[in-house]
Amino acid sequence: MYRVQKLLSKIGYCSRRSAEQLIVSGVIKINNKVITIGDKWHKGDSLTINNKEIDVSNALSQVIEIIKYYKPLGEVVSRKDPHNTRTVFDNLPDIKGKWINIGRLDLNTTGLLLFTNDGDLANKVMHPSSSFDREYIVKTDKPITQNSMNSLLLGVPINENQVGKFNKIIKNGKNIYRIILSTGKNREIRNSLKYVNLETLSLKRVKYSKIKLDDMIEGEFRYLTKKEKTTFLI
């Protein structure tokens, strides 16, 4: 038995907030009856959205899985993309239900990407309140000056009315830096560096909270251990 908004989030159909909006709009039915906020789905119930049957059969028996994946250059984090035939989902293992990406990496960023079969968990981990650290290795076209470092650590304007803010910047070689931040705004590192007149030549995520890329090779996936999963399940 689940509240409908939790059920739809869990199977990865949409977030709880989006589910509530669908309920209010009157397009969700259980056993052919329009539902309201707070209504619950029980095993055996028929659930439709816009008169289309939604498969929720695995919700009650679902075992939460999380995998890490080494995203290569040029793969898009989308199931279908009219401009790119290579997607991260092509290399993932079969699973009952579907894999849901926890955050994204843009086309030209490589490295650690997490997936789960539980949409509720994915939304919780991605929510800004979770503040999980992400660590990247970035190569720039020239050194980051001290003034630029100070600006990036304080926060710089990016995108539309957003702020890009790094937690740490650690020099790791000639024009190579380890950058740690706890937010996942769209192209946050690239746009923050662009603001201080730096070009990102390469960008790779190597760590998400306690989960490391380790010795994985491009295109490889690994299931998280029970201990690793507790990072996100607590």
Side-chain angles (χ1 to χ4, degrees):
M1 178 177 67
Y2 288 100
R3 290 186 184 274
V4 172
Q5 57 265 45
K6 177 177 174 61
L7 176 68
L8 292 176
S9 176
K10 186 174 180 62
I11 66 172
Y13 184 88
C14 63
S15 68
R16 291 195 193 194
R17 180 175 294 180
S18 295
E20 289 174 355
Q21 292 171 347
L22 290 172
I23 293 171
V24 170
S25 69
V27 300
I28 301 183
K29 297 178 181 178
I30 290 181
N31 300 329
N32 209 34
K33 180 182 177 182
V34 175
I35 68 168
T36 58
I37 298 291
D39 285 350
K40 297 177 180 179
W41 170 89
H42 298 78
K43 185 177 181 180
D45 284 346
S46 168
L47 188 149
T48 61
I49 300 177
N50 290 313
N51 296 316
K52 181 181 179 182
E53 185 84 22
I54 305 299
D55 183 9
V56 295
S57 58
N58 68 318
L60 295 177
S61 60
Q62 182 188 63
V63 175
I64 295 177
E65 296 287 2
I66 308 174
I67 58 174
K68 60 180 181 179
Y69 175 69
Y70 190 155
K71 177 192 172 298
L73 194 70
E75 284 189 355
V76 65
V77 186
S78 174
R79 294 181 187 280
K80 293 181 180 179
D81 188 297
H83 307 295
N84 194 302
T85 57
R86 296 171 54 199
T87 89
V88 293
F89 293 95
D90 293 338
N91 293 328
L92 303 187
D94 292 334
I95 193 167
K96 188 176 181 180
K98 68 178 183 179
W99 289 115
I100 302 153
N101 49 290
I102 299 177
R104 310 176 73 86
L105 295 176
D106 66 47
L107 188 69
N108 295 315
T109 299
T110 65
L112 179 63
L113 193 58
L114 299 174
F115 294 85
T116 181
N117 61 333
D118 188 297
D120 221 19
L121 174 64
N123 289 322
K124 185 186 81 170
V125 175
M126 288 187 288
H127 195 276
S129 63
S130 296
S131 298
F132 289 112
D133 281 351
R134 291 93 153 159
E135 183 175 329
Y136 297 79
I137 301 295
V138 60
K139 183 174 183 181
T140 56
D141 62 332
K142 55 192 176 192
I144 304 178
T145 65
Q146 189 59 54
N147 284 341
S148 292
M149 280 194 184
N150 293 340
S151 296
L152 293 165
L153 293 170
L154 287 172
V156 298
I158 61 168
N159 306 334
E160 295 182 5
N161 301 317
Q162 291 185 321
V163 174
K165 185 177 183 297
F166 300 169
N167 296 346
K168 291 182 181 179
I169 305 170
I170 304 164
K171 189 170 176 60
N172 211 45
K174 184 178 180 181
N175 298 348
I176 299 174
Y177 301 87
R178 285 172 53 213
I179 290 176
I180 299 171
L181 68 166
S182 52
T183 52
K185 301 181 182 78
N186 182 39
R187 297 175 66 86
E188 183 169 2
I189 291 178
R190 294 180 187 276
N191 289 340
S192 297
L193 292 172
K194 183 179 180 181
Y195 181 83
V196 294
N197 298 312
L198 289 166
E199 181 183 355
T200 300
L201 300 183
S202 66
L203 183 62
K204 178 168 75 171
R205 183 156 67 194
V206 295
K207 190 176 179 183
Y208 196 118
S209 186
K210 298 177 182 178
I211 309 304
K212 298 179 180 179
L213 192 60
D214 292 325
D215 59 348
M216 294 176 69
I217 61 173
E218 290 189 354
E220 181 184 1
F221 68 84
R222 292 182 188 174
Y223 284 85
L224 297 197
T225 64
K226 184 180 292 186
K227 182 178 180 181
E228 287 175 326
K229 285 198 287 187
T230 59
T231 301
F232 308 111
L233 294 176
I234 293 176

